[in-house]
Amino acid sequence: MRLISSPDSVLPAVLAAMENTPDARLRELMGGLVRHLHAYVQEVRLTEAEFERAIGFLVGIGQATGPTKNEVILASDLLGVSTVVALQNNLDPGGETHAALLGPFWRANAPVCQPGESIARGDTPGRELLVRGTVYDESGEPLAGVTVDAWQASPVGLYENQDEQQPDMNLRGRFSTDAQGAYHFRTVVPAGYPVPTDGPCGELLRAQRRHPNRPAHLHFMVSKPGYRVLVTQVFLDEEDALLTDPVFGVTQPLVGQLAEQDTGGAAELQRDFRLVPGPTVFPTPPIP
Ligand SMILES: [Fe+2]
């Protein structure tokens, strides 16, 4: 055993200190984290002032997190980490996935709705949108009794919890698939929106000359006991917006096309989902 004598000699000492961690996975996770952190600090030759700034950022994202905003999730999203986690854990056999990051605005316990009901509650102006589709299992059989939980921003680009003008739980609802695996509901066409920029993440975006605007999208969480929970999004926006999503959530299978309905100027979005068997584990809601 030798005392620490140089920057390079710190890492072996830390790894040795963590060696007796009984949980093998925790040992692996922390070992990997420490190896990469030490390599990073040395690669960029982190100064003391920069280290202080980094600590300040982490403290700041914690302090900026509250009942209506989860700045820590936002930070993970803006670094692309949330998308990497979502993609690598949900690949199809063909190497694709229909999963996407959860984002910071999912709330558990959205209202349970009847088929065809509108999730635009109160006075929510906007172009009417009919969303319909079928949920299948992995062999292509329709699945009945699947919960399709949908949430979205309003046409002004705000989720209800960010906006005093919207009723509680506006533009959020849970639907159940029928005996043919079908679901449908009504809403309004969502708008793109800026991720919150009033905290440390906004400061970072400005320093990096990045815009905060997400392309217009709907969020879905599709679940049935005995199947893996599918968390996904469908994007409706123009190509430019799709290419510069600040949270890197847009993949080709998630781009949806709006169709015109025959009557009334409403739009229609057809979206099918496929569930695969597995443990049904819901994420922790980012906000209550
Ligand atoms: Fe969103």
Side-chain angles (χ1 to χ4, degrees):
M1 185 69 186
R2 300 192 27 205
L3 287 176
I4 289 163
S5 57
S6 68
D8 283 338
S9 64
V10 180
L11 178 62
V14 177
L15 293 174
M18 303 191 308
E19 212 166 59
N20 294 329
T21 307
D23 182 329
R25 181 60 173 160
L26 179 61
R27 193 165 63 242
E28 183 184 5
L29 290 172
M30 291 308 298
L33 179 65
V34 167
R35 272 194 302 277
H36 284 273
L37 279 175
H38 284 239
Y40 166 76
V41 167
Q42 292 180 279
E43 181 195 311
V44 302
R45 298 202 64 84
L46 195 72
T47 67
E48 285 168 311
E50 289 161 348
F51 183 47
E52 213 170 272
R53 186 94 189 270
I55 298 284
F57 179 80
L58 293 178
V59 170
I61 59 177
Q63 288 173 340
T65 294
T68 60
K69 191 172 73 153
N70 193 319
E71 189 90 356
V72 183
I73 289 194
L74 178 58
S76 314
D77 295 352
L78 293 171
L79 297 177
V81 175
S82 307
T83 291
V84 176
V85 173
L87 295 184
Q88 79 172 3
N89 285 288
N90 294 281
L91 288 182
D92 298 334
E96 273 201 340
T97 179
H98 291 80
L101 71 165
L102 176 70
F105 295 118
W106 177 61
R107 292 177 70 185
N109 305 316
V112 173
C113 303
Q114 295 304 308
E117 205 175 315
S118 179
I119 58 172
R121 300 184 180 84
D123 180 25
T124 307
R127 185 181 178 201
E128 194 182 0
L129 174 65
L130 176 70
V131 183
R132 61 165 73 248
T134 303
V135 184
Y136 298 98
D137 69 10
E138 57 175 358
S139 61
E141 291 299 313
L143 272 178
V146 176
T147 300
V148 177
D149 184 344
W151 69 103
Q152 66 171 78
S154 76
V156 298
L158 290 170
Y159 287 84
E160 49 85 29
N161 53 284
Q162 301 176 294
D163 184 2
E164 293 281 305
Q165 309 298 316
Q166 296 183 49
D168 188 41
M169 290 287 181
N170 192 34
L171 299 169
R172 301 176 185 272
R174 286 181 290 170
F175 296 83
S176 199
T177 58
D178 64 18
Q180 284 75 45
Y183 74 92
H184 69 288
F185 65 89
R186 287 179 304 123
T187 180
V188 288
V189 176
Y193 61 83
V195 297
T197 55
D198 56 348
C201 288
E203 200 184 325
L204 179 64
L205 286 176
R206 286 187 290 277
Q208 295 176 321
R209 304 291 186 271
R210 293 166 63 184
H211 76 72
N213 302 313
R214 296 215 65 202
H217 58 274
L218 288 96
H219 293 264
F220 293 95
M221 185 180 296
V222 187
S223 63
K224 181 182 167 82
Y227 295 85
R228 286 174 57 97
V229 176
L230 174 63
V231 176
T232 189
Q233 304 180 30
V234 178
F235 295 90
L236 306 175
D237 223 323
E238 307 294 325
E239 189 178 316
D240 282 358
L242 298 179
L243 289 173
T244 61
D245 180 8
V247 303
F248 313 99
V250 186
T251 60
Q252 192 59 47
L254 304 186
V255 178
Q257 300 295 335
L258 288 188
E260 301 290 325
Q261 273 207 303
D262 293 341
T263 53
E268 186 172 329
L269 175 71
Q270 164 81 33
R271 202 66 189 174
D272 296 343
F273 302 106
R274 198 176 59 157
L275 295 184
V276 294
T280 310
V281 182
F282 291 92
T284 302
I287 51 174

